């Protein structure tokens, strides 16, 4: 259980990704809507501002942490990938609302198995494969992923129970070839890395089509003045 610590301020706190392409594209989409973002303090610092909307305080946060800050009411709004919000707890989903899809950072969360699994083409084939695997090897089929919650929910919906998750924090595509797992749930943009590692995406195995969203925290301290600022931000992104 997370204790909400809503910010009490007449300034809207906006969390943006702190590095990489998502940070650059977030700044670009606001700029196209007429709202430039400037770093305040050190050029490598984690604070920013919008000169044309001075009621906004920008904070730069790791993309993986933004969902948690929204959940706890520590920021009013934030930009991060849908996969990171949906992977978080049910509490996070309940407290976080998409204000606008932004059209960048597209990626799919998919279930991928080795190409040599000729009899496994669809998600509905997995449970039979898993049962066969357990009879032959005396253990459950392993699924390498960093998307523990998305995997459990999707597999439960398909009636897949004969597996165990191996948590992977990097290079998930290589887990089957390295003997660390039999299949994976991972994020992909083109599928090229999966194919390079001898993997195929199952039919029905796209668990989420993700992109960057502007999210709103439903538990942050909102006032009529901040609601008006939120409207300005959303409207600017609509012009981008």
């Amino acid at each position: 259980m997370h204790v909400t610590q809503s910010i009490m301020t007449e300034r809207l706190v906006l969390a943006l990704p702190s590095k990489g392409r998502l940070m650059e594209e977030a700044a670009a989409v606001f700029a196209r809507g007429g709202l430039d973002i400037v770093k305040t303090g050190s050029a490598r610092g984690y604070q920013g501002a919008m000169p044309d909307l001075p009621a906004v305080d920008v904070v730069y946060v790791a993309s993986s942490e933004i969902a948690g800050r929204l959940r706890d009411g520590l920021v009013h709004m934030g930009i991060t990938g849908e996969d990171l919000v949906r992977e978080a707890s049910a509490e996070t989903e309940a407290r976080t609302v998409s204000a606008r899809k932004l059209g960048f950072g597209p990626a799919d969360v998919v279930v991928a198995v080795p190409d040599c699994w000729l009899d496994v083409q669809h998600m509905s084939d997995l449970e039979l494969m898993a049962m066969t695997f357990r009879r032959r090897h005396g253990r459950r089929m392993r699924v390498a992923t960093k998307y523990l919650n998305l995997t459990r929910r999707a597999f439960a919906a398909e009636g897949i129970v004969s597996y165990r998750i191996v948590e992977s924090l990097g290079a998930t595509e290589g887990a089957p070839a390295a003997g660390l797992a039999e299949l994976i749930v991972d994020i992909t943009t083109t599928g090229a890395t999966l194919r390079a590692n001898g993997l195929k995406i199952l039919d029905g195995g796209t668990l989420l089509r993700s992109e960057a969203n502007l999210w709103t925290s439903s538990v942050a301290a909102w006032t009529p003045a901040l609601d008006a600022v939120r409207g300005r931000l959303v409207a600017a992104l609509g012009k981008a």
Side-chain angles (χ1 to χ4, degrees), residues 157-229:
E158 292 283 346
I160 303 165
V161 298
S162 302
Y163 73 97
R164 70 181 179 90
I165 288 178
V166 177
E167 188 170 5
S168 173
L169 299 179
T172 304
E173 306 94 335
L180 302 176
E182 281 63 58
L183 67 153
I184 71 169
V185 175
D186 201 16
I187 198 160
T188 183
T189 52
T190 66
T193 304
L194 297 176
R195 292 190 292 272
N197 282 276
L199 301 173
K200 64 184 179 183
I201 300 171
L202 291 181
D203 292 340
T206 299
L207 308 187
L208 176 68
R209 295 193 183 279
S210 178
E211 64 180 271
N213 281 228
L214 175 66
W215 303 92
T216 296
S217 170
S218 63
V219 296
W222 289 97
T223 66
L226 292 179
D227 281 333
V229 177

Side-chain angles (χ1 to χ4, degrees), residues 32-134:
R32 289 195 296 272
L35 294 175
D36 290 327
I37 300 173
V38 296
K39 286 281 187 81
T40 56
S42 167
R44 295 189 177 184
Y46 295 95
Q47 304 291 324
M50 291 182 171
D52 294 317
L53 197 52
V56 173
D57 289 331
V58 176
V59 294
Y60 290 95
V61 183
S63 294
S64 59
E65 296 178 14
I66 291 176
R69 295 205 182 193
L70 290 161
R71 174 199 63 215
D72 294 339
L74 298 177
V75 298
H76 293 94
M77 305 185 81
I79 289 179
T80 192
E82 189 171 356
D83 60 309
L84 297 175
V85 172
R86 302 305 178 206
E87 169 57 19
S89 64
E91 183 181 27
T92 302
E93 286 202 76
R95 295 179 171 193
T96 308
V97 180
S98 175
R100 187 176 292 279
K101 291 182 179 292
L102 299 178
F104 63 84
D108 296 339
V109 179
V110 301
V111 181
V113 304
D115 286 327
C116 61
W117 288 18
L118 301 180
D119 294 332
V120 182
Q121 300 293 332
H122 193 278
M123 284 288 288
S124 59
D125 299 326
L126 267 185
E127 178 60 13
L128 179 59
M129 176 64 185
M131 294 169 63
T132 302
F133 182 91
R134 191 170 187 181

